[in-house]
Amino acid sequence: MERVIGGSDRSAVGGRVPACPGPQAPGQGAVARSVTVRLDRRSLRGWHIRLLDQLGQRPDRRVRIAWVTQGSGLPGNAEVLFRLEAAIHGLPRPGLATAAEPVALAPYEARPDETVQTGDDIILDVSGAPAAPAAAPVWRLDFDGVPGEAGLLAALFARRAPVAALRGPDGAPVAVGRLGAESHTVMLAAFEDYLARTITLIAAALDGAGSPTLPDGAEAPLQPGRTFDLDGFGAGRRAAGGLARQVARRLYALCFQGPQWRVGWRQVVGPDLIDLRRHPEGGWNDLPDDGRRFYADPFAIARDGAVTLFVEEFDYRRGKGVISAVGFEAGGPRGRPEPVLELETHLSYPFVFEADGQAWMIPESHASGTIDLYRATAFPRGWVHEAVLVDGVVASDATLLQHNGRWWLFATVRTGGGSYSDTLHLWHAPHFRGPWTPHRRNPVLIDVGSARAAGPVVARGGALIRPVQDCRGGYGAALGLARILRLDEEGYAQRVETRLGPGAAWPGSRLHMLSAAGGLEFIDGSRPARPRLLR
């Protein structure tokens, strides 16, 4: 029997809900009263959250979730494409195509021992996973005959309008629809249009209003040369494999015609950026890259008489970030950054610090739902997982500060959707290993202009200056310098004193981070558009 991992009982309050008239099965004029949605936690997106919320709007319907494995999602570099298009075209994020986290499904949690019972109206499988025995009728979603979302993206690359189909246990369509999009030149915008209408189709079908044929009488297409099988899994895998190559080609086209993230550095002679409150007269040097990757999120540390710079290294072909490091001297980097920490998930914001005679790192990996501590065994390499500092939280850019005998942890937290950059949470502990206690007034700040960290907190003239990201003009649009006015267990306050953006000394469209160590200062942001490098 299938294991249910989540559920939400939205039964009516203060009145009896009339039963559905007639004995019809859902999809034939009757409403599905109980829906179990199969999802793969590794390929969750915003549209899944929206779908669950919409299905649960009926007070007489019970909606639950069941986790499956081997789902047929998008290739890994698709998320990179979406993020890049959102940045270039100024599209709002997060959206229906944005990767989501399992913690966002908390409203649908059920008792641990709850299982799907015979008699449930419908099991709705939108995961693209192989078929599995079930105690109730299963409706499976495909696009142009491809399970999962790969068919949608394939249709975009082929410049055709995809047909979404819900198929019953025998493979016959329960509901079909030909999806439309306002734009086919921006993949993210079209993909989200498709997903929005997919939700409409599913909701209509579960309300008994689905049509098994298109208005012109055509049936939902299957993959060429295939007859329908209950699995369809191989087709999804093949489609995703071909898509990865198409996405990679489009990424190259975007990256070599548009702005690109970069790291800037300079040797500090005289006042630093915090004292200057403006760009230095001499400008910034670029940390070189080969055009096939970008560097971002610079964190410098002076240790054993040398400066080491840690960065997020994002290789476009691999579609995820790793943490890399390079030694620095007054004249610049000694070589190129080399990977020092790589996980299955995307890594960024390598907050590196020294304590108890050792080097430690808290990299961002919000997909894990944790804030994790790593220790270096062969600095700058040899990073091993030391502890989970905070669990069950989608946190960005965790930053430590030791102040008045306690350790403080800053991070922006995304709960129930919304931005990754507008909600500041604090934790405090007697030691950087913990145990960490949430601040009693969390969230202590909701402000997209100053909540998210942009580097280590700096002590200056008896004050604490906190670099912050000003995301009012989009992610990483500008750098703010905020003075911490209060930091204790009863409250928090800050005041942004300076806002620095790109300019003549830092050409481009974004200014994002600030870090310094050993007489060197580092920032990051974007460079102006560069000519196409690949044909």
Side-chain angles (χ1 to χ4, degrees):
M1 196 147 43
E2 188 171 14
R3 186 76 171 175
V4 169
I5 308 297
S8 178
D9 189 354
R10 301 172 186 265
S11 56
V13 177
R16 181 174 179 178
V17 177
C20 287
Q24 305 102 312
Q28 299 176 339
V31 176
R33 298 300 186 190
S34 179
V35 180
T36 298
V37 183
R38 283 178 176 166
L39 297 170
D40 187 331
R41 67 174 65 243
R42 298 169 303 174
S43 56
L44 286 178
R45 295 191 180 276
W47 81 274
H48 296 125
I49 311 301
R50 178 81 61 82
L51 172 66
L52 291 165
D53 287 344
Q54 183 158 335
L55 296 184
Q57 291 300 311
R58 292 186 66 97
D60 57 337
R61 174 181 287 151
R62 178 175 175 81
V63 179
R64 299 177 291 186
I65 58 172
W67 295 124
V68 300
T69 57
Q70 295 185 307
S72 180
L74 296 176
N77 56 359
E79 178 62 22
V80 186
L81 172 62
F82 293 157
R83 287 166 52 191
L84 189 58
E85 285 192 325
I88 291 173
H89 298 286
L91 300 178
R93 297 282 270 168
L96 298 182
T98 305
E101 300 80 18
V103 295
L105 300 179
Y108 300 93
E109 291 181 354
R111 298 188 307 272
D113 60 344
E114 187 172 5
T115 57
V116 174
Q117 302 294 326
T118 302
D120 274 356
D121 288 339
I122 287 297
I123 295 175
L124 175 64
D125 193 334
V126 297
S127 69
V138 179
W139 289 359
R140 307 192 73 214
L141 176 67
D142 67 60
F143 302 97
D144 287 349
V146 179
E149 300 158 352
L152 281 183
L153 208 53
L156 273 172
F157 281 108
R159 296 183 178 275
R160 68 173 183 267
V163 174
L166 281 174
R167 301 182 189 272
D170 60 354
V174 174
V176 299
R178 185 179 287 119
L179 311 180
E182 293 300 309
S183 169
H184 288 82
T185 57
V186 181
M187 296 293 184
L188 173 59
F191 193 71
E192 296 213 339
D193 284 349
Y194 289 157
L195 293 175
R197 200 54 62 236
T198 298
I199 295 173
T200 304
L201 175 73
I202 294 172
L206 291 170
D207 285 345
S211 172
T213 60
L214 296 169
D216 57 8
E219 295 184 350
L222 298 174
Q223 283 293 287
R226 291 180 64 242
T227 57
F228 182 80
D229 61 81
L230 292 180
D231 190 331
F233 186 60
R237 289 297 191 204
R238 289 191 296 274
L243 276 176
R245 292 186 290 274
Q246 291 179 297
V247 171
R249 287 194 290 268
R250 184 166 180 85
L251 277 169
Y252 276 115
L254 286 173
C255 292
F256 296 122
Q257 295 184 87
Q260 185 183 16
W261 285 93
R262 78 196 199 272
V263 168
W265 68 272
R266 74 179 186 109
Q267 185 178 12
V268 178
V269 178
D272 63 8
L273 201 65
I274 290 178
D275 286 337
L276 284 172
R277 302 299 173 108
R278 57 176 172 79
H279 287 288
E281 296 293 338
W284 301 87
N285 306 291
D286 275 8
L287 178 65
D289 63 62
D290 59 9
R292 291 173 171 79
R293 71 201 73 237
F294 69 71
Y295 301 120
D297 291 357
F299 273 85
I301 182 172
R303 195 166 192 264
D304 299 328
V307 174
T308 302
L309 178 69
F310 291 82
V311 294
E312 172 198 343
E313 176 181 331
F314 195 100
D315 187 321
Y316 297 113
R317 294 166 296 183
R318 302 175 69 187
K320 71 172 184 178
V322 303
I323 304 303
S324 294
V326 61
F328 251 83
E329 53 195 9
R334 296 193 300 269
R336 56 167 287 176
E338 298 292 341
V340 296
L341 178 61
E342 179 175 1
L343 303 178
E344 291 185 1
T345 55
H346 173 82
L347 295 176
S348 60
Y349 199 86
F351 183 87
V352 181
F353 65 104
E354 189 169 15
D356 294 349
Q358 298 188 75
W360 308 85
M361 183 196 302
I362 304 176
E364 180 194 307
S365 178
H366 61 246
S368 67
T370 56
I371 300 176
D372 296 286
L373 177 69
Y374 288 79
R375 176 173 53 86
T377 60
F379 185 87
R381 299 178 177 273
W383 295 94
V384 296
H385 187 268
E386 188 76 11
V388 174
L389 301 183
V390 181
D391 196 2
V393 62
V394 181
S396 298
D397 299 351
T399 303
L400 284 186
L401 170 67
Q402 191 174 17
H403 174 65
N404 285 345
R406 292 192 70 77
W407 286 83
W408 295 87
L409 177 61
F410 297 69
T412 48
V413 172
R414 182 174 185 251
T415 303
S419 172
Y420 288 89
S421 304
D422 61 1
T423 308
L424 177 62
H425 283 235
L426 295 178
W427 294 262
H428 54 87
H431 192 271
F432 66 86
R433 294 174 180 266
W436 289 94
T437 302
H439 197 284
R440 63 188 303 266
R441 297 193 181 277
N442 278 340
V444 297
L445 178 66
I446 300 176
D447 177 23
V448 75
S450 67
R452 190 164 180 169
V457 178
V458 178
R460 184 61 48 87
L464 294 175
I465 305 299
R466 178 177 177 250
V468 297
Q469 296 183 40
D470 187 337
C471 299
R472 288 176 294 179
Y475 173 73
L479 171 71
L481 298 177
R483 182 182 296 265
I484 295 178
L485 304 175
R486 178 179 182 181
L487 177 60
D488 56 48
E489 295 179 29
E490 299 300 319
Y492 175 79
Q494 67 177 37
R495 181 179 65 241
V496 177
E497 297 179 332
T498 303
R499 182 182 186 273
L500 297 172
W506 181 247
S509 58
R510 298 176 189 276
L511 177 60
H512 174 246
M513 289 277 298
L514 173 64
S515 177
L520 293 165
E521 197 167 43
F522 301 88
I523 60 174
D524 76 339
S526 62
R527 63 166 55 92
R530 301 199 298 187
R532 186 192 300 268
L533 300 181
L534 298 181
R535 301 294 180 184

